mmCIF file of all heavy atoms in Angstrom:
data_model
loop_
_atom_site.group_PDB
_atom_site.id
_atom_site.type_symbol
_atom_site.label_atom_id
_atom_site.label_comp_id
_atom_site.label_asym_id
_atom_site.label_seq_id
_atom_site.Cartn_x
_atom_site.Cartn_y
_atom_site.Cartn_z
ATOM 1 N N LEU W 144 -2.575 -0.146 -14.069
ATOM 2 C CA LEU W 144 -2.616 1.301 -13.854
ATOM 3 C C LEU W 144 -1.872 1.651 -12.570
ATOM 4 O O LEU W 144 -1.808 0.853 -11.633
ATOM 5 C CB LEU W 144 -4.069 1.782 -13.748
ATOM 6 C CG LEU W 144 -4.891 1.703 -15.035
ATOM 7 C CD1 LEU W 144 -6.357 2.011 -14.744
ATOM 8 C CD2 LEU W 144 -4.364 2.653 -16.097
ATOM 9 N N HIS W 145 -1.310 2.836 -12.574
ATOM 10 C CA HIS W 145 -0.619 3.322 -11.376
ATOM 11 C C HIS W 145 -1.572 4.296 -10.672
ATOM 12 O O HIS W 145 -1.985 5.295 -11.253
ATOM 13 C CB HIS W 145 0.674 4.018 -11.826
ATOM 14 C CG HIS W 145 1.468 4.599 -10.695
ATOM 15 N ND1 HIS W 145 2.716 5.121 -10.882
ATOM 16 C CD2 HIS W 145 1.205 4.743 -9.381
ATOM 17 C CE1 HIS W 145 3.180 5.564 -9.713
ATOM 18 N NE2 HIS W 145 2.271 5.360 -8.806
ATOM 19 N N TYR W 146 -1.919 3.963 -9.429
ATOM 20 C CA TYR W 146 -2.891 4.767 -8.691
ATOM 21 C C TYR W 146 -2.192 5.681 -7.700
ATOM 22 O O TYR W 146 -1.362 5.227 -6.915
ATOM 23 C CB TYR W 146 -3.860 3.852 -7.927
ATOM 24 C CG TYR W 146 -4.583 2.892 -8.843
ATOM 25 C CD1 TYR W 146 -4.066 1.624 -9.089
ATOM 26 C CD2 TYR W 146 -5.746 3.268 -9.495
ATOM 27 C CE1 TYR W 146 -4.713 0.741 -9.954
ATOM 28 C CE2 TYR W 146 -6.400 2.397 -10.359
ATOM 29 C CZ TYR W 146 -5.875 1.135 -10.581
ATOM 30 O OH TYR W 146 -6.510 0.284 -11.435
ATOM 31 N N LEU W 147 -2.566 6.937 -7.738
ATOM 32 C CA LEU W 147 -2.104 7.873 -6.711
ATOM 33 C C LEU W 147 -3.294 8.087 -5.783
ATOM 34 O O LEU W 147 -4.319 8.633 -6.199
ATOM 35 C CB LEU W 147 -1.679 9.206 -7.336
ATOM 36 C CG LEU W 147 -1.197 10.231 -6.318
ATOM 37 C CD1 LEU W 147 0.292 10.045 -6.066
ATOM 38 C CD2 LEU W 147 -1.437 11.654 -6.798
ATOM 39 N N ILE W 148 -3.171 7.613 -4.561
ATOM 40 C CA ILE W 148 -4.290 7.711 -3.617
ATOM 41 C C ILE W 148 -3.989 8.812 -2.612
ATOM 42 O O ILE W 148 -3.033 8.729 -1.843
ATOM 43 C CB ILE W 148 -4.533 6.356 -2.912
ATOM 44 C CG1 ILE W 148 -4.804 5.275 -3.975
ATOM 45 C CG2 ILE W 148 -5.690 6.454 -1.925
ATOM 46 C CD1 ILE W 148 -5.027 3.886 -3.412
ATOM 47 N N VAL W 149 -4.794 9.836 -2.637
ATOM 48 C CA VAL W 149 -4.589 10.970 -1.731
ATOM 49 C C VAL W 149 -5.612 10.848 -0.601
ATOM 50 O O VAL W 149 -6.823 10.864 -0.848
ATOM 51 C CB VAL W 149 -4.739 12.311 -2.481
ATOM 52 C CG1 VAL W 149 -4.529 13.477 -1.521
ATOM 53 C CG2 VAL W 149 -3.741 12.381 -3.623
ATOM 54 N N GLY W 150 -5.116 10.706 0.598
ATOM 55 C CA GLY W 150 -5.986 10.478 1.751
ATOM 56 C C GLY W 150 -5.949 9.007 2.121
ATOM 57 O O GLY W 150 -6.387 8.161 1.345
ATOM 58 N N CYS W 151 -5.359 8.701 3.292
ATOM 59 C CA CYS W 151 -5.228 7.293 3.706
ATOM 60 C C CYS W 151 -6.093 7.009 4.930
ATOM 61 O O CYS W 151 -5.739 6.201 5.786
ATOM 62 C CB CYS W 151 -3.769 6.966 3.999
ATOM 63 S SG CYS W 151 -2.707 7.157 2.567
ATOM 64 N N GLY W 152 -7.206 7.673 5.038
ATOM 65 C CA GLY W 152 -8.124 7.441 6.150
ATOM 66 C C GLY W 152 -9.032 6.262 5.849
ATOM 67 O O GLY W 152 -8.619 5.289 5.228
ATOM 68 N N ARG W 153 -10.284 6.382 6.259
ATOM 69 C CA ARG W 153 -11.211 5.261 6.102
ATOM 70 C C ARG W 153 -11.423 4.924 4.623
ATOM 71 O O ARG W 153 -11.208 3.798 4.195
ATOM 72 C CB ARG W 153 -12.548 5.589 6.762
ATOM 73 C CG ARG W 153 -12.425 5.687 8.245
ATOM 74 C CD ARG W 153 -13.617 6.299 8.929
ATOM 75 N NE ARG W 153 -13.273 6.531 10.312
ATOM 76 C CZ ARG W 153 -12.595 7.599 10.748
ATOM 77 N NH1 ARG W 153 -12.246 8.552 9.918
ATOM 78 N NH2 ARG W 153 -12.287 7.720 12.019
ATOM 79 N N ASN W 154 -11.844 5.919 3.841
ATOM 80 C CA ASN W 154 -12.114 5.652 2.420
ATOM 81 C C ASN W 154 -10.843 5.269 1.665
ATOM 82 O O ASN W 154 -10.838 4.327 0.871
ATOM 83 C CB ASN W 154 -12.754 6.874 1.762
ATOM 84 C CG ASN W 154 -14.192 7.074 2.218
ATOM 85 O OD1 ASN W 154 -14.887 6.096 2.504
ATOM 86 N ND2 ASN W 154 -14.635 8.306 2.301
ATOM 87 N N GLY W 155 -9.755 5.997 1.912
ATOM 88 C CA GLY W 155 -8.507 5.745 1.186
ATOM 89 C C GLY W 155 -7.954 4.359 1.459
ATOM 90 O O GLY W 155 -7.505 3.663 0.541
ATOM 91 N N SER W 156 -7.989 3.959 2.734
ATOM 92 C CA SER W 156 -7.433 2.647 3.073
ATOM 93 C C SER W 156 -8.302 1.526 2.498
ATOM 94 O O SER W 156 -7.783 0.497 2.055
ATOM 95 C CB SER W 156 -7.287 2.505 4.589
ATOM 96 O OG SER W 156 -8.544 2.569 5.226
#
Side-chain angles (χ1 to χ4, degrees):
Chain W
L144 292 172
H145 179 172
Y146 303 92
L147 180 87
I148 302 179
V149 180
C151 298
R153 293 167 189 82
N154 288 328
S156 63

